[in-house]
């Protein structure tokens, strides 16, 4: 057990939503750290966070895929945009791990612009890009750059806030105020993706598939977001091969 993370997450949960501890909750299992027990609420999302490694739903979806398929990142060349803390803790000692963000931080060891990646063609075995492209005005350029720096046979993982009720991605008309765009799309988002998102990935050359899991796995590992404030519902992750 990671006691420092556990104590920190429980303290945060108690401050933000103390009433959750008066409710009976089933034991969940984290696909990343293996913790089994009570998960913690995050805002309107009940049982969203593992207290032992801080994983969220989309982190555990990817963790399930890595475990199922025996994928080992250690020693591999990996580019990870805006790294999630559970994965950063796992891979930070890998000398080939590039944890990229717009600025250096405790969970970023490199500054990387997704629309102008500073690495050569075919450099990385794996690439992870979760909830990044909705912030990028030139998202097609970002997808092209991700494809370029991935080795032939390499794998990239993508997710975005995605409205399954929308067939096509909504792009704001020219001149629309930023406040109105954010009201429609979410904080700092520049578009709202629809069901055509995997087609956009395929258009730059990727072979695209969706990570799938059973309802039983969804409950055991708490993989599906459970709240009524978000149109996307399930946080889909797309596995892209080059």
């Amino acid at each position: 057990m990671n006691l420092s993370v556990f104590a920190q997450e429980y303290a945060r949960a108690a401050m933000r939503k103390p009433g959750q501890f008066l409710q009976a909750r089933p034991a969940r299992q984290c696909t990343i750290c293996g913790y089994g027990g009570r998960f913690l609420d995050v805002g309107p999302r009940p049982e969203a966070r593992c207290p032992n490694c801080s994983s969220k739903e989309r982190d555990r979806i990817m963790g399930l895929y890595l475990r199922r398929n025996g994928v080992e990142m250690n020693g591999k060349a990996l580019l990870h945009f805006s790294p999630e803390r559970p994965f950063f803790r796992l891979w930070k000692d890998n000398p080939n791990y590039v944890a990229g963000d717009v600025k250096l931080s405790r969970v970023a060891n490199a500054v990387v612009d997704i629309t102008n990646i500073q690495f050569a063609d075919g450099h990385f075995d794996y690439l992870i890009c979760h909830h990044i492209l909705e912030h990028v005005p030139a998202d097609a350029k970002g997808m092209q750059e991700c494809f370029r720096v991935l080795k032939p046979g390499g794998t990239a993982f993508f997710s975005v806030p995605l409205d399954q009720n929308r067939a096509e991605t909504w792009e704001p008309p020219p001149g629309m105020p930023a406040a109105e765009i954010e009201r429609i799309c979410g904080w700092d988002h520049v578009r709202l993706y629809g069901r055509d998102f995997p087609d956009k990935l395929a258009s730059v050359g990727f072979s695209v598939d969706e990570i799938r899991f059973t309802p039983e796995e969804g409950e055991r590992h708490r993989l599906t977001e459970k709240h009524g404030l978000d149109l996307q519902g399930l946080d889909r992750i797309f596995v892209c091969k080059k």
Side-chain angles (χ1 to χ4, degrees):
M1 181 175 286
N2 191 331
L3 292 178
S4 62
V5 174
F6 195 90
Q8 186 179 66
E9 291 295 345
Y10 256 80
R12 286 175 177 169
M15 289 180 61
R16 293 172 179 170
K17 196 175 180 182
Q20 67 182 284
F21 298 107
L22 301 177
Q23 299 173 313
R25 296 282 174 79
R28 309 292 185 181
Q29 185 176 34
C30 182
T31 63
I32 298 172
C33 69
Y35 165 83
R38 185 189 188 103
F39 279 8
L40 303 175
D41 295 0
V42 177
R45 289 159 34 221
E47 302 177 88
R49 192 179 297 279
C50 168
N52 190 55
C53 73
S54 308
S55 69
K56 304 180 292 297
E57 297 94 340
R58 66 176 177 263
D59 305 337
R60 293 190 294 274
I61 294 173
M62 185 166 166
L64 179 63
Y65 176 88
L66 297 178
R67 287 197 176 200
R68 269 183 181 171
N69 293 277
V71 177
E72 179 55 68
M73 295 293 192
N74 288 322
K76 300 294 185 180
L78 168 61
L79 175 57
H80 190 179
F81 290 99
S82 190
E84 297 85 7
R85 290 181 183 275
F87 292 120
F88 182 81
R89 294 189 191 103
L90 286 178
W91 302 327
K92 63 182 179 180
D93 294 328
N94 174 4
N96 300 312
Y97 176 47
V98 178
D101 211 334
V102 294
K103 62 181 180 180
L104 297 176
S105 71
R106 289 189 295 177
V107 292
N109 59 24
V111 175
V112 182
D113 176 358
I114 194 171
T115 64
N116 187 23
I117 301 172
Q118 64 265 39
F119 293 91
D121 296 1
H123 184 87
F124 293 99
D125 299 293
Y126 294 97
L127 183 147
I128 301 171
C129 182
H130 291 324
H131 286 232
I132 302 297
L133 291 169
E134 68 272 17
H135 301 277
V136 180
D139 63 336
K141 178 61 174 173
M143 295 177 198
Q144 291 165 2
E145 280 288 276
C146 289
F147 184 83
R148 179 185 66 79
V149 299
L150 198 64
K151 293 178 181 178
T155 304
F157 301 88
F158 291 91
S159 68
V160 293
L162 194 154
D163 181 359
Q164 281 292 317
N165 295 320
R166 187 179 295 276
E168 296 183 354
T169 295
W170 180 82
E171 298 278 357
M176 176 175 278
E180 180 65 8
I181 296 172
E182 288 195 356
R183 185 190 68 79
I184 296 170
C185 302
W187 179 81
D188 195 42
H189 297 182
V190 297
R191 69 184 56 80
L192 180 58
Y193 287 104
R195 297 193 303 273
D196 59 344
F197 177 67
D199 298 329
K200 291 178 178 292
L201 294 169
S203 72
V204 304
F206 286 117
S207 173
V208 185
D209 195 12
E210 182 184 330
I211 296 178
R212 300 181 186 276
F213 51 86
T214 67
E216 292 77 17
E217 289 171 330
E219 280 300 304
R220 185 185 319 129
H221 306 299
R222 201 57 161 179
L223 304 178
T224 304
E225 293 189 6
K226 299 281 190 179
H227 62 95
L229 301 182
D230 201 329
L231 291 171
Q232 65 181 298
L234 167 65
D235 201 335
R236 289 164 171 80
I237 293 179
F238 296 94
V239 184
C240 299
K241 302 282 188 178
K242 179 176 179 179

